Amino acid sequence: MTPGRPVPPPLAKPLPDLNDVEATNATDAGPALAAAYGATASDSGLVPLTVARRAPKDDDVEIAVEFCGLCHSDVHATRGEWGNQNYPLIPGHEIVGRVSRVGSAVDDFTVGERVGVGCMVDSCRECDSCLDGLEQYCENGMTGTYGAKDARNGGATTQGGYSTSIVVDRNYVLRVPEGMDPAAAAPLLCAGITTYSPLNHFEAEEGDVVGVVGLGGLGHMAVKIAKAMGAEVTVFTTSEQKFAAARDLGADHVVLSTDPAAMEAADRSIDVIIDTVAAPHDLNPFFRTLRVDGALFQLGLPSEAMPPVNPGALIRRRIAYAGSLIGGIAETQEMLDFCAEHGVVADVEVVSADQLNEAYDRMVAGDVKYRFVLDASTLGSPAEKADV
């Protein structure tokens, strides 16, 4: 099996000349306009916009975006399904590109280097979580890559990676190993780290059996990463049509979770479960598949209430029911390096800017194997005046 996309698509337009000194010297150039796609209202769909990016400050890195993954959370945010948003809103938090300018104090990133940006662009940097490298659990609230108030930059609303450029503090920029397909690497910045972090926390290794519930964008990454860690993998799915796909990804076993006999046969066979399903579902049958001291990590975030958990199922086997949220910056870099070493990337379908709304509808319908990625070179050129 060849991971990622079979053939990289041609670029619609060339990237900026990163060897042009005038274009890359942060002290000589000011703010820049970037072409983008975003929502102007909950029902607007994604439309062309122009975003003003700040000039890189001393610790900033400006990135010419090559690719940006499409996450289901982008759909929820732009359509107002997670509450009111401050529109216009440009989504995108799975960003891969090349450094185009750096601030005067940046000595660890160089122009032309391939880098990535994930789900956060800042945190308080002072709380216990931040000091422990767990910025995703910042006690004062991390700053999301889009739709968040950026306290260090005048309280402006952050705007994401469906754009031709972005400026991010160097402390929240990641190195993307050069050998990786940049489009297929983009979803690692969200789906990859979201599944790597709980497996890493549980110290999954050879001899362990990892269960994966759901085989979508998160689930397919969980299978690949668990296998790369040496674990045996069992996929739980409600669709017999996904059996072959699960095995193609490397799953050792596939269980139809709606079949009581199949679930009973899986009793006490799993060490840790990664649950990626974002719709309400009964967890109690999955608890019965765990061994003593097993754990179930909930990654999917249903919009409605889940069926109640039976405490007896946890107590009788000392089972832990836990949640997990992306990963810190150091752990995300560790994940990227691990995936590069083991040849792990996402299976992606690359789309152009004019296909974004169709891709959103297909995501909602589950019609993607397994992640969409935007080719930022198709965004066109910015207008003369910024919309946001």
Side-chain angles (χ1 to χ4, degrees):
M1 178 184 67
T2 301
R5 48 189 180 129
V7 180
L11 294 178
K13 65 182 180 63
L15 290 171
D17 182 0
L18 301 181
N19 294 315
D20 184 340
V21 174
E22 291 185 3
T24 58
N25 190 332
T27 62
D28 292 342
L33 295 178
Y37 263 60
T40 57
S42 62
D43 58 355
S44 69
L46 297 174
V47 298
L49 295 170
T50 294
V51 57
R53 296 299 191 186
R54 69 178 184 266
K57 299 191 299 184
D58 290 351
D59 287 322
D60 279 342
V61 174
E62 181 187 73
I63 301 164
V65 179
E66 296 176 293
F67 297 97
C68 185
L70 278 59
C71 180
H72 209 121
S73 60
D74 300 344
V75 180
H76 292 308
T78 56
R79 294 181 176 178
E81 294 169 355
W82 283 347
N84 294 330
Q85 297 290 334
N86 185 16
Y87 297 103
L89 179 66
I90 297 166
H93 57 211
E94 300 177 347
I95 304 165
V96 171
R98 297 280 189 182
V99 176
S100 53
R101 290 192 286 173
V102 296
S104 59
V106 177
D107 58 6
D108 49 351
F109 291 100
T110 58
V111 170
E113 185 175 3
R114 179 165 281 145
V115 294
V117 177
C119 300
M120 59 183 163
V121 293
D122 205 353
S123 61
C124 81
R125 314 185 196 184
E126 297 176 350
C127 69
D128 288 343
S129 292
C130 286
L131 295 176
D132 285 342
L134 299 171
E135 299 94 341
Q136 75 273 34
Y137 302 123
C138 176
E139 294 159 31
N140 295 298
M142 68 173 184
T143 303
T145 304
Y146 66 85
K149 295 297 182 182
D150 191 349
R152 283 183 224 277
N153 290 284
T157 300
T158 57
Q159 302 292 348
Y162 294 11
S163 60
T164 51
S165 70
I166 192 168
V167 178
V168 179
D169 186 289
R170 55 166 292 277
N171 293 289
Y172 298 82
V173 176
L174 300 140
R175 287 183 173 80
V176 177
E178 282 293 338
M180 302 181 87
D181 177 338
L188 299 180
L189 278 306
C190 177
I193 184 57
T194 297
T195 49
Y196 178 90
S197 186
L199 289 169
N200 186 42
H201 181 76
F202 193 82
E203 299 181 343
E205 60 185 0
E206 186 175 357
D208 289 337
V209 180
V210 172
V212 177
V213 181
L215 198 65
L218 287 176
H220 97 287
M221 289 308 313
V223 173
K224 290 188 176 192
I225 290 172
K227 288 297 294 183
M229 290 177 170
E232 185 178 323
V233 175
T234 297
V235 168
F236 295 93
T237 177
T238 59
S239 172
E240 291 186 79
Q241 295 179 347
K242 291 191 175 182
F243 276 42
R247 293 192 177 100
D248 287 344
L249 290 167
D252 300 281
H253 314 283
V254 189
V255 175
L256 187 65
S257 59
T258 56
D259 181 349
M263 291 296 287
E264 184 177 354
D267 184 71
R268 297 178 185 264
S269 65
I270 309 292
D271 293 296
V272 58
I273 291 175
I274 304 297
D275 189 332
T276 70
V277 176
H281 56 292
D282 187 2
L283 296 175
N284 294 296
F286 297 105
F287 289 136
R288 288 192 285 273
T289 70
L290 287 167
R291 296 168 175 161
V292 172
D293 287 331
L296 187 151
F297 283 93
Q298 185 73 46
L299 304 186
L301 185 60
S303 57
E304 300 175 7
M306 294 272 283
V309 168
N310 175 13
L314 308 180
I315 292 170
R316 284 191 290 272
R317 299 183 192 176
R318 199 161 59 186
I319 288 170
Y321 176 38
S324 184
L325 175 68
I326 55 171
I329 295 300
E331 187 178 42
T332 305
Q333 186 64 61
E334 176 186 305
M335 178 274 305
L336 286 169
D337 295 339
F338 173 89
C339 288
E341 178 184 353
H342 293 276
V344 173
V345 288
D347 286 7
V348 302
E349 180 179 337
V350 178
V351 297
S352 57
D354 61 3
Q355 296 174 305
L356 283 170
N357 288 303
E358 177 189 356
Y360 270 28
D361 290 339
R362 287 179 57 192
M363 267 199 288
V364 172
D367 179 24
V368 56
K369 291 181 65 174
Y370 287 93
R371 299 288 280 202
F372 287 117
V373 174
L374 168 67
D375 178 352
S377 72
T378 66
L379 288 166
S381 300
E384 294 182 358
K385 183 179 179 182
D387 301 296
V388 57

